[in-house]
Amino acid sequence: MALGDLMAASRFSQSGAEVSSHLEEFSANGNHVEEDGDMNVYSSNNINNNNSNARDLSEMASSSYAAMTTTTSMAYLPQTVVLCELRHDGFEDCMPSGPSDSGLVSKWRPRDRMKTGCVALVLCLNINVDPPDVIKISPCARMECWIDPFSMAPQKAIEAIGRNLNQQYERWQPKARYKCTLDPTVDEVKKLCTTCRKYAKSERVLFHYNGHGVPKPTPNGEIWLFNKSYTQYIPLTLNDLDSWMKTPSIYVFDCSAAGLIISAFVELLDQSTSTSGPSAKDCILLAACEAHETLPQSAEFPADVFTSCLTTPIKMALRWFCTRSLLHESFDYSMIDRIPGRQTDRKTLLGELNWIFTAVTDTIAWNVLPHDLFRRLFRQDLLVASLFRNFLLAERIMRSANCSPMSYPVLPPTHQHHMWDAWDMAAEICISQLPTLVDDPNAEFQPSPFFTEQLTAFEVWLDHGSERKKPPEQLPIVLQVLLSQLHRFRALVLLGRFLDMGPWAVDLALSVGIFPYVLKLLQTTTPELQQILVFIWTKILALDKSCQVDLVKDGGHTYFIRFLDSIDAYPEQRAMAAFVLAVIVDGHRRGQETCIEAGLIHVCLKHLQCSSPNDAQTEPLFLQWICLCLGKLWEDFSEAQLIGLQADAPAIISPLLLEPQPEVRAAAVFALGTALDVGSDTSRDGQGEEDDDDEKVKAEAGIVKNLLNVVSDGSPLVRAEVAVALSRFAFGHNKHLKSVAAAYWKPQSSSVLTSLPSFAVKGSSSGYTTPTHYMPHGSIVPSPIAPLLRVGHDSQPVSRDGRVSSSSPLATPGIMHGSPLSDDSSQHSDYGALNDCVTNGVLSYSRRKPLDNALYSQCVLAMFNLAKDPSPRVESLGRRVLAIIGIEQVVAKSFKPAGVSIRPGEPSTSASASLAGLARSSSWFELTGGAHLPLAFRTPPVSPPRPSYMTGMRRVCSLEFRPHLMSSPDSGLADPLLASPGPSGVSDRSFLPQSMIYNWSCGHFSKPLLTAMDDTEDVIARREEREKLALDHIVKCQHSSLSKMQNQIASWDTKFETGTKTALLQPFSPVVIASDENERIRVWNYEEATLLNSFNNHDYPDKGVSKLCLVNEFEENLLLVASNDGNIRIWKDYSSKGQQKLVTAFASIQGHRPGVRSVNAVVDWQQQSGYLFSSGEISSIMAWDLDKEQLVSTIPLASDSSISALAVSQVHGGQFAAGFVDGYVRLYDIRTPEMVVSATRPHTQRVERVVGIGFQPGLEPAKIVSASQAGNIQFLDMRCAKDKYLTIDAHRGSLTALAVHRHAPIIASGSAKQLIKVFNLEGDPLGTIRYYPTFMAQKIGSVSCLTFHPYQVLLAAGAADACVSIYADEILPPR
């Protein structure tokens, strides 16, 4: 199973993590290996490896507390690399196209297959009478069609010659009709041609002219015939001949000076082109020699050498070869006529010779001719192809007699091509066997090694060739070999390897004519060919989708369904079969129908059910393609959707939404989304469909609930698919969603916004609750969309239509992230509001049954979440979804808090009254990052808006109502959608955003699959060099005796208006990265003092950056930027000017506490485990696995207090420490079942928040440094009962920043009083850095951030005055 083994090998080489070998040499030094016998505090068997919340990190050297005595190199140099998959390479701006079905790729198809239907043979021999312009030599060539005309009576001879010629042509085209006319008159030729054309209709007609008994053609190209009594030669003009033959036609002229005819014909064609525009004539001409040449007369040739080459090539080639080979003296030429076998039987000598000859001539033509000409002459018409193959032989043989055959279209010279040598060798091997085979009929024929050798040559090319080199000339031979069972498997494997080189290779193979062969092979049942055939079809369909039609027509789809259902193949290969089937049904109704009849839905669902989530054997690619195949199968095909729903497809697919691979989750979302019927509302008028309808509505509700669970997935790939799926839902349930959205914004006379329904469960004792209505039991992922709701306990006056009366303060339970945002404790959430306003005349719109209103509300919430997604692509999709339900983007109108814009004619008192609520409680919009999303709602026609309403909401944005049909320049996305009159609202399906996952996933199969994509040598060398450098520096850091840190080696004015908020030093280049409150990021080289790059983290920078981290330090590192609202954005190429690209983006925090103005996210990244931990003003810590791009754990906080500082251990994967607002410090380990390892409250003098926390350098797992706002720094050993073993009172109050070096025994703290103090781990002060006033004597801001270089003793300090300074130890020379 060559290909299967190849694929398996590549699969394992891709997955095997190689640990660099040089780590051992460092541990051998022994001088930096730290050992601590007491370290094993709680044993490693405590770690619950089965805990599904955490990845099993126990394989790492750093994972178990028992394994601390191992070398530090593994602990200090994490091997985890994340975010380097295909999906991270330009997801935001790529527009994948998927397999094409037009343009360049389909050029390989013969546009119109054609056949020659009729052959007209005209022989002008006039035996015994030589034409006047010919002087014959003696001995002279006499044979015509291998008959000597002088061996019998002239009349008999010409009839025999005509019969022979007829038979010779019949071998190449047995189904054509043949008409022969001997020594004819002009009228007879006219009758012959018109009869042939009449019979052939639009097929090709061949006109063969032998003029050996008449004079040469005239300079005008006229050919000669006879009069009735054979006393005169009569000329026939080409014009006449052409008018009788019409088009398409092919002419063979076997006479001297035949080139004259070609020249005249080309002139004729040019004239007709100039008079009647582009010529539609399809004429091909073959002529025996050029205009000034006569036919060879040597007796070694037949008289009709040209015709003999064209119609009996093997005989002609062997005779000519023998005269030139060493065999010529001993060889009996009559044996050539007795070669055993049939031309069509490749297992006989004659058949093999014919097969080799076809392969050689095809190869020469393919390598010499332009590809479109090759396709026209060699792939369109069987007879034309045979004649042109044989024409190449004629050119070779006749040029040896100083005669140059001609053709139109003109071919490049081929007579010296080196493939003729291969033919000569094959001919010689065959001829050497001939005497034995002729003498002994039972002798066994030895096949020629020709094909084996050519396949070996092809294999050599595969080992060394590439797209930039000359294409492999053996490709047409590989095609011929597919006909033989003996070599077929090897040929297919090599062909598969060739196709794997890229789309260019697939295009070459298709242009050589591979398609009909591999299509035919789908009818075989040979098991060993299955894998390779599936692979080859995968490669073809990844390039050209149009083959789907041929596959369905020939029933090829059943081959792939059988393969998909077989259990012998590797999952990757079955994934390919699923891909092939997905392409077959993609947008092809006939394909969808035939595959459904063949039971594809049930086959796919069966395999999804077999693969349990814990089954490590299930290949993600297989799951991904099963889902995509299902999605394409029922996309826009309601019958298939119904079959899927009846087979319980949503319930089978939905568990995949928790799979670790984002591609699988996105594919599952796609399959669920396409199962939603977007059909028009009016289609539901039959009563008989009621039951189906109920089932369908129920199933759709289930699907939407599942989709809502992944609306906050960590991967933009998945969220983009959720947005597309929700847009389908919004399209189908447009009215109901519009009315829910209208309820959110329905204007009141005295309040800006109306009450929003909360659909919450009853409030818990803490005052807020996270409903998880739709989560599978025991799931670890809380419902991301579920709002955190605060439920009021005092009743409010409710007006008749279920809305909060005007006396209530602004009532807005949160829409975004579901957070209730008013500080007012009497906030009220009204359960009835929505039900009343929706039933208020909305449900009568359509026959489509509504789902329950809470679900619609959740959908609207989800749509808002998507519309303010940190990923620009998902955000734009989210806005399009909102546009479908009538909420559209308008031009942002910013307002200063003081000035409020009021509509003309509206009394200002009502405005100020309405703003009273806003002054106290800020809107959901501002608090949850909606400020960058100006929206306007277009109400559905059911309740036209009243004229008096507000346009301004503080400085946030404008939320406006628009009448349904009003259109204006700033009306954004929804205009084309909502301009259609009538209740249908959205009618144009083309407005639906298109899914990307299918096209994007197809790209996988266009790339090489057989060669493992290993890291290049440069990448490995760079990593090894960096690791060596890091280990050297670590040793220096650990043994450095520090004195002072006051040597300022660089100072940089970042020109940030709001001062520096965070800073970061790059480990292996002299680069510092800083950012400010406005999320502007600047990258500076401090050795050359040059600005490398400056860019905005996103377009609406109003949150501030809370943390900068480097991801993949030893590779091409990525910059992780965490905003204060918890949104994470990860950039690559960030240090090249204008080159930065967003790799991924997601919201790491969902929901926040009631009454809190902002989330104040604290985030840290741990390379060892690949986890990102984030928390803030929320009641839990969220752990994200950046490899899976998934929330893997939500750790609830024990107290009501929130986290103000977070630090991960850089050596113990899964371990991190958190400092709380109330002064507590807790140590967590995500690998333990209870998560919290220990807790202490070191900062007790005054309860002050912990502003900085960090792990002490070294391998000890529980030693922590923590600093509080009050100014005291505590050194803690979390294992010991006593809380703290060392306290430093560093600053009196006002401590603002703390930094702990990763490896050197040094910490630094900064204060608001422009001081930085440096201490060692014993608490001894090593120095104080003061900010001195500048020469302008302006006040310098407080220290805002401190950060150490990971591997050198360098400290970067950022201040509120936008200055970043870098300090080194005095002993350490600047880098």
Side-chain angles (χ1 to χ4, degrees):
M1 294 295 184
L3 192 85
D5 298 342
L6 235 167
M7 290 182 64
S10 78
R11 177 174 60 154
F12 293 128
S13 66
Q14 278 166 325
S15 61
E18 295 170 25
V19 178
S20 30
S21 56
H22 72 269
L23 293 174
E24 282 71 41
E25 69 194 60
F26 280 95
S27 58
N29 302 341
N31 58 358
H32 63 277
V33 177
E34 298 183 10
E35 298 186 6
D36 183 346
D38 303 329
M39 213 171 286
N40 189 3
V41 180
Y42 48 94
S43 68
S44 59
N45 57 13
N46 217 2
I47 300 168
N48 180 358
N49 286 334
N50 301 324
N51 185 356
S52 63
N53 287 4
R55 182 189 306 182
D56 178 10
L57 301 171
S58 60
E59 291 164 27
M60 292 187 183
S62 62
S63 70
S64 152
Y65 296 101
M68 290 306 157
T69 53
T70 52
T71 59
T72 54
S73 56
M74 280 299 284
Y76 288 146
L77 308 178
Q79 303 295 316
T80 319
V81 181
V82 296
L83 302 175
C84 52
E85 303 289 328
L86 178 69
R87 64 179 178 274
H88 302 118
D89 199 18
F91 164 77
E92 289 301 331
D93 35 39
C94 75
M95 274 316 295
S97 56
S100 172
D101 53 358
S102 61
L104 167 85
V105 294
S106 292
K107 277 188 184 166
W108 60 267
R109 280 184 184 277
R111 270 174 298 285
D112 34 353
R113 298 287 298 196
M114 196 176 277
K115 72 172 202 264
T116 303
C118 208
V119 178
L121 305 173
V122 176
L123 298 177
C124 297
L125 294 177
N126 200 7
I127 296 168
N128 288 337
V129 181
D130 286 343
D133 59 351
V134 171
I135 301 164
K136 289 196 171 171
I137 60 167
S138 180
C140 173
R142 287 164 45 158
M143 307 287 271
E144 298 275 357
C145 292
W146 305 106
I147 291 174
D148 182 351
F150 301 103
S151 63
M152 56 185 93
Q155 189 53 35
K156 275 189 174 169
I158 194 165
E159 285 170 6
I161 291 167
R163 268 199 310 279
N164 253 17
L165 182 60
N166 199 340
Q167 286 162 5
Q168 284 170 202
Y169 266 115
E170 268 182 342
R171 184 178 303 133
W172 303 108
Q173 176 58 293
K175 291 182 180 165
R177 181 174 288 193
Y178 290 86
K179 292 198 176 296
C180 186
T181 169
L182 312 169
D183 292 346
T185 61
V186 173
D187 289 342
E188 285 167 352
V189 169
K190 178 179 180 180
K191 186 181 170 193
L192 174 75
C193 292
T194 49
T195 312
C196 281
R197 172 48 64 202
K198 191 174 165 189
Y199 174 77
K201 299 190 179 76
S202 62
E203 292 176 345
R204 200 186 296 280
V205 176
L206 183 142
F207 179 86
H208 179 102
Y209 172 76
N210 177 328
H212 297 173
V214 290
K216 291 175 185 171
T218 66
N220 294 336
E222 296 157 311
I223 55 174
W224 296 98
L225 301 169
F226 302 98
N227 65 355
K228 276 189 178 166
S229 54
Y230 296 98
T231 54
Q232 278 179 308
Y233 298 113
I234 310 290
L236 169 64
T237 65
L238 271 184
N239 217 338
D240 288 345
L241 181 60
D242 180 48
S243 68
W244 303 331
M245 285 281 292
K246 300 196 170 62
T247 184
S249 51
I250 177 168
Y251 299 86
V252 177
F253 296 107
D254 186 353
C255 58
S256 294
L260 290 168
I261 307 173
I262 295 227
S263 312
F265 208 97
V266 172
E267 257 178 59
L268 187 71
L269 279 176
D270 289 346
Q271 281 171 13
S272 66
T273 307
S274 58
T275 53
S276 62
S279 166
K281 279 187 184 299
D282 179 3
C283 294
I284 298 169
L285 286 86
L286 298 173
C289 57
E290 288 187 7
H292 58 279
E293 294 172 341
T294 53
L295 293 174
Q297 292 189 10
S298 162
E300 70 165 312
F301 296 113
D304 64 346
V305 57
F306 187 58
T307 302
S308 298
C309 286
L310 290 183
T311 56
T312 54
I314 302 296
K315 185 173 182 176
M316 192 68 224
L318 290 178
R319 290 179 78 92
W320 182 78
F321 170 72
C322 288
T323 58
R324 280 158 180 70
S325 87
L326 297 172
L327 304 168
H328 73 98
E329 289 174 4
S330 61
F331 190 69
D332 174 9
Y333 287 92
S334 67
M335 274 196 211
I336 291 176
D337 293 330
R338 290 183 288 156
I339 296 176
R342 294 192 315 280
Q343 272 197 330
T344 50
D345 182 359
R346 287 185 294 274
K347 290 179 180 161
T348 61
L349 182 56
L350 184 59
E352 182 166 79
L353 273 170
N354 187 52
W355 186 28
I356 294 173
F357 178 78
T358 305
V360 167
T361 46
D362 244 15
T363 303
I364 293 173
W366 189 71
N367 283 294
V368 172
L369 269 58
H371 283 184
D372 49 351
L373 185 60
F374 173 80
R375 281 194 291 272
R376 183 183 159 204
L377 300 181
F378 284 80
R379 292 292 180 261
Q380 210 176 30
D381 180 326
L382 284 173
L383 182 60
V384 171
S386 303
L387 287 176
F388 267 93
R389 280 192 200 104
N390 305 342
F391 176 79
L392 301 184
L393 174 73
E395 189 191 10
R396 183 186 193 207
I397 289 176
M398 293 178 75
R399 275 189 186 252
S400 71
N402 298 319
C403 208
S404 307
M406 293 178 70
S407 70
Y408 174 83
V410 183
L411 303 189
T414 58
H415 59 289
Q416 289 177 322
H417 197 279
H418 63 90
M419 277 307 290
W420 286 118
D421 298 337
W423 160 251
D424 289 345
M425 185 178 172
E428 190 156 42
I429 290 172
C430 290
I431 287 173
S432 63
Q433 292 186 54
L434 196 52
T436 325
L437 290 169
V438 171
D439 296 343
D440 176 10
N442 298 323
E444 199 174 322
F445 146 68
Q446 291 297 315
S448 160
F450 172 81
F451 288 107
T452 314
E453 287 164 0
Q454 293 299 324
L455 284 180
T456 305
F458 184 46
E459 196 165 357
V460 170
W461 188 93
L462 288 174
D463 291 336
H464 304 285
S466 71
E467 184 175 5
R468 292 180 296 283
K469 297 187 177 163
K470 198 171 156 249
E473 57 187 28
Q474 296 81 15
L475 209 49
I477 296 175
V478 176
L479 198 70
Q480 290 294 324
V481 176
L482 293 181
L483 299 168
S484 144
Q485 283 186 334
L486 183 64
H487 307 289
R488 185 176 291 157
F489 179 67
R490 184 183 176 205
L492 282 172
V493 170
L494 294 177
L495 178 64
R497 279 182 59 193
F498 176 64
L499 298 182
D500 196 46
M501 296 178 95
W504 62 274
V506 183
D507 195 40
L508 273 180
L510 288 171
S511 71
V512 86
I514 203 104
F515 186 76
Y517 291 74
V518 287
L519 188 61
K520 191 90 176 144
L521 282 174
L522 291 180
Q523 293 164 16
T524 62
T525 50
T526 326
E528 61 265 20
L529 296 185
Q530 283 183 337
Q531 296 179 2
I532 180 64
L533 272 176
V534 168
F535 181 82
I536 286 171
W537 273 103
T538 298
K539 286 291 170 187
I540 292 174
L541 287 170
L543 175 81
D544 191 347
K545 171 185 163 185
S546 67
C547 306
Q548 57 181 193
V549 182
D550 310 77
L551 279 169
V552 172
K553 202 161 68 184
D554 282 31
H557 60 285
T558 54
Y559 189 87
F560 298 102
I561 294 176
R562 277 201 309 275
F563 185 83
L564 182 65
D565 208 13
S566 70
I567 46 174
D568 308 330
Y570 286 118
E572 294 100 318
Q573 293 167 329
R574 282 156 66 202
M576 289 178 199
F579 162 73
V580 169
L581 290 162
V583 178
I584 288 175
V585 297
D586 177 22
H588 183 215
R589 182 49 57 89
R590 186 79 201 95
Q592 287 174 316
E593 289 163 356
T594 48
C595 285
I596 283 169
E597 284 161 23
L600 180 55
I601 288 185
H602 300 288
V603 171
C604 290
L605 292 175
K606 181 177 86 180
H607 287 295
L608 286 184
Q609 279 170 305
C610 297
S611 60
S612 60
N614 304 323
D615 182 10
Q617 293 307 305
T618 308
E619 177 67 28
L621 190 70
F622 180 53
L623 295 179
Q624 178 185 347
W625 275 102
I626 289 265
C627 289
L628 291 170
C629 180
L630 281 170
K632 282 289 171 190
L633 194 51
W634 55 49
E635 187 176 37
D636 301 330
F637 187 22
S638 46
E639 288 86 344
Q641 290 166 353
L642 212 57
I643 295 171
L645 296 180
Q646 285 160 356
D648 206 12
I652 296 168
I653 296 169
S654 55
L656 298 180
L657 298 175
L658 299 173
E659 279 290 309
Q661 292 77 19
E663 292 88 348
V664 177
R665 302 199 298 272
V669 171
F670 172 75
L672 290 172
T674 49
L676 293 169
D677 187 9
V678 190
S680 62
D681 288 340
T682 48
S683 63
R684 303 261 186 283
D685 41 326
Q687 282 304 309
E689 291 178 19
E690 277 300 301
D691 300 342
D692 280 359
D693 242 19
D694 278 348
E695 287 301 308
K696 196 161 190 170
V697 165
K698 219 151 104 188
E700 289 198 346
I703 290 173
V704 172
K705 287 170 185 173
N706 280 317
L707 292 176
L708 293 178
N709 287 332
V710 282
V711 80
S712 302
D713 192 273
S715 168
L717 195 66
V718 180
R719 299 195 304 276
E721 290 308 309
V722 174
V724 172
L726 284 179
S727 74
R728 292 175 66 90
F729 178 68
F731 194 98
H733 293 255
N734 192 264
K735 321 276 173 331
H736 311 299
L737 285 162
K738 271 191 173 175
S739 51
V740 169
Y744 288 154
W745 268 290
K746 200 157 185 185
Q748 291 292 298
S749 54
S750 63
S751 68
V752 181
L753 294 177
T754 60
S755 153
L756 301 173
S758 69
F759 49 89
V761 293
K762 280 274 186 241
S764 62
S765 56
S766 65
Y768 51 89
T769 166
T770 310
T772 48
H773 309 252
Y774 303 124
M775 289 308 293
H777 179 64
S779 158
I780 55 163
V781 185
S783 168
I785 189 64
L788 284 158
L789 288 167
R790 183 166 176 184
V791 182
H793 295 294
D794 52 339
S795 64
Q796 287 282 344
V798 176
S799 63
R800 225 180 95 254
D801 66 348
R803 284 195 187 76
V804 181
S805 68
S806 53
S807 62
S808 71
L810 180 72
T812 28
I815 286 191
M816 303 295 207
H817 283 331
S819 47
L821 304 162
S822 164
D823 296 330
D824 193 331
S825 62
S826 66
Q827 166 116 24
H828 169 78
S829 49
D830 169 35
Y831 296 108
L834 189 70
N835 301 2
D836 291 359
C837 73
V838 172
T839 48
N840 220 348
V842 178
L843 301 186
S844 53
Y845 263 151
S846 68
R847 287 192 153 62
R848 176 174 282 231
K849 291 205 171 93
L851 308 175
D852 75 87
N853 294 327
L855 190 61
Y856 285 130
S857 309
Q858 281 190 307
C859 283
V860 174
L861 285 173
M863 291 166 188
F864 274 117
N865 262 340
L866 291 166
K868 59 179 203 60
D869 196 272
S871 153
R873 166 163 265 172
V874 179
E875 180 195 37
S876 71
L877 286 170
R879 292 184 175 199
R880 288 181 68 176
V881 182
L882 283 183
I884 292 176
I885 62 163
I887 297 167
E888 65 176 8
Q889 184 182 2
V890 291
V891 177
K893 306 181 180 75
S894 295
F895 296 101
K896 297 281 175 285
V900 175
S901 140
I902 297 162
R903 292 218 166 210
E906 187 179 89
S908 56
T909 49
S910 76
S912 54
S914 332
L915 279 175
L918 276 174
R920 265 205 321 279
S921 93
S922 94
S923 72
W924 55 268
F925 216 52
E926 180 183 4
L927 286 176
T928 53
H932 64 262
L933 178 69
L935 297 173
F937 178 70
R938 295 203 159 170
T939 53
V942 68
S943 51
R946 300 171 211 168
S948 62
Y949 48 82
M950 289 289 308
T951 58
M953 288 178 57
R954 274 164 109 204
R955 61 179 178 77
V956 187
C957 66
S958 78
L959 285 175
E960 317 186 339
F961 274 91
R962 294 269 180 87
H964 184 54
L965 297 177
M966 173 183 174
S967 97
S968 63
D970 63 358
S971 57
L973 282 167
D975 254 6
L977 172 82
L978 295 159
S980 58
S984 63
V986 188
S987 59
D988 183 10
R989 285 176 74 154
S990 64
F991 185 76
L992 285 175
Q994 292 305 303
S995 161
M996 201 183 81
I997 181 71
Y998 169 76
N999 284 349
W1000 182 83
S1001 301
C1002 289
H1004 168 78
F1005 293 111
S1006 322
K1007 295 185 169 55
L1009 301 173
L1010 298 177
T1011 48
M1013 297 292 284
D1014 286 333
D1015 292 340
T1016 58
E1017 288 172 14
D1018 301 349
V1019 173
I1020 294 167
R1022 186 181 62 219
R1023 178 173 176 108
E1024 288 183 353
E1025 183 194 343
R1026 287 182 168 185
E1027 286 179 347
K1028 191 171 186 311
L1029 193 69
L1031 286 170
D1032 283 346
H1033 280 311
I1034 289 172
V1035 175
K1036 282 181 190 156
C1037 283
Q1038 288 172 341
H1039 295 84
S1040 60
S1041 52
L1042 298 162
S1043 54
K1044 292 188 168 133
M1045 278 286 292
Q1046 293 166 327
N1047 180 20
Q1048 181 174 332
I1049 60 167
S1051 180
W1052 169 38
D1053 179 7
T1054 59
K1055 300 192 167 58
F1056 287 139
E1057 294 167 15
T1058 54
T1060 311
K1061 180 84 166 23
T1062 41
L1064 177 68
L1065 286 163
Q1066 269 209 356
F1068 302 108
S1069 48
V1071 168
V1072 60
I1073 306 156
S1075 68
D1076 70 352
E1077 285 287 354
N1078 291 333
E1079 304 204 40
R1080 183 105 193 128
I1081 293 162
R1082 295 206 164 112
V1083 186
W1084 191 61
N1085 182 317
Y1086 53 80
E1087 269 184 9
E1088 298 168 7
T1090 52
L1091 183 68
L1092 301 179
N1093 196 14
S1094 171
F1095 62 95
N1096 283 324
N1097 188 29
H1098 58 109
D1099 292 343
Y1100 314 102
D1102 53 353
K1103 297 294 168 219
V1105 171
S1106 80
K1107 179 90 173 179
L1108 296 174
C1109 304
L1110 280 187
V1111 178
N1112 306 341
E1113 263 180 21
F1114 293 98
E1115 317 293 324
E1116 279 295 332
N1117 53 47
L1118 309 170
L1119 178 65
L1120 184 150
V1121 184
S1123 302
N1124 275 343
D1125 57 0
N1127 282 349
I1128 307 290
R1129 291 175 178 83
I1130 297 177
W1131 298 88
K1132 70 174 187 180
D1133 304 332
Y1134 56 89
S1135 52
S1136 313
K1137 194 165 183 64
Q1139 299 297 305
Q1140 70 280 353
K1141 279 203 190 78
L1142 191 60
V1143 173
T1144 187
F1146 63 98
S1148 70
I1149 288 177
Q1150 277 126 33
H1152 55 79
R1153 295 178 184 248
V1156 169
R1157 289 198 55 80
S1158 70
V1159 177
N1160 291 327
V1162 282
V1163 171
D1164 207 0
W1165 157 248
Q1166 188 173 53
Q1167 187 77 45
Q1168 286 279 17
S1169 60
Y1171 282 179
L1172 175 96
F1173 299 98
S1174 68
S1175 189
E1177 300 283 356
I1178 56 171
S1179 50
S1180 57
I1181 302 167
M1182 298 193 158
W1184 294 84
D1185 183 330
L1186 285 201
D1187 187 37
K1188 301 173 180 172
E1189 296 183 61
Q1190 205 173 25
L1191 179 65
V1192 285
S1193 189
T1194 304
I1195 306 163
L1197 300 184
S1199 69
D1200 278 350
S1201 171
S1202 48
I1203 293 181
S1204 53
L1206 192 66
V1208 298
S1209 164
Q1210 291 300 342
V1211 286
H1212 304 301
Q1215 200 181 76
F1216 63 99
F1220 287 74
V1221 175
D1222 58 6
Y1224 262 97
V1225 172
R1226 289 181 175 83
L1227 177 66
Y1228 294 87
D1229 193 321
I1230 198 163
R1231 298 164 301 172
T1232 60
E1234 59 279 358
M1235 303 287 187
V1236 184
V1237 176
S1238 58
T1240 178
R1241 191 173 187 175
H1243 304 287
T1244 47
Q1245 300 134 312
R1246 302 208 309 275
V1247 176
E1248 288 279 5
R1249 63 195 290 128
V1250 177
V1251 290
I1253 194 166
F1255 282 80
Q1256 292 184 27
L1259 287 174
E1260 297 186 70
K1263 287 198 167 177
I1264 285 171
V1265 181
S1266 137
S1268 81
Q1269 204 167 341
N1272 59 338
I1273 300 173
Q1274 305 288 0
F1275 288 70
L1276 313 169
D1277 188 336
M1278 301 296 281
R1279 301 167 301 177
C1280 300
K1282 59 175 195 220
D1283 287 343
K1284 47 192 184 265
Y1285 63 86
L1286 177 62
T1287 302
I1288 310 171
D1289 281 323
H1291 306 272
R1292 293 190 189 85
S1294 72
L1295 188 142
T1296 54
L1298 172 77
V1300 183
H1301 199 286
R1302 209 188 279 183
H1303 302 290
I1306 176 172
I1307 67 167
S1309 65
S1311 85
K1313 297 171 181 163
Q1314 303 106 47
L1315 278 183
I1316 297 170
K1317 292 187 178 177
V1318 184
F1319 302 92
N1320 64 16
L1321 295 184
E1322 279 70 53
D1324 307 329
L1326 297 180
T1328 302
I1329 301 164
R1330 292 181 185 280
Y1331 271 95
Y1332 296 105
T1334 59
F1335 68 96
M1336 296 287 288
Q1338 75 218 44
K1339 184 152 172 54
I1340 293 173
S1342 61
V1343 178
S1344 57
C1345 58
L1346 291 173
T1347 179
F1348 278 109
H1349 190 287
Y1351 304 114
Q1352 294 177 38
V1353 186
L1354 287 179
L1355 174 69
D1361 63 348
C1363 186
V1364 173
S1365 308
I1366 298 171
Y1367 301 93
D1369 182 33
E1370 281 178 338
I1371 323 162
L1372 189 82
R1375 183 194 154 120

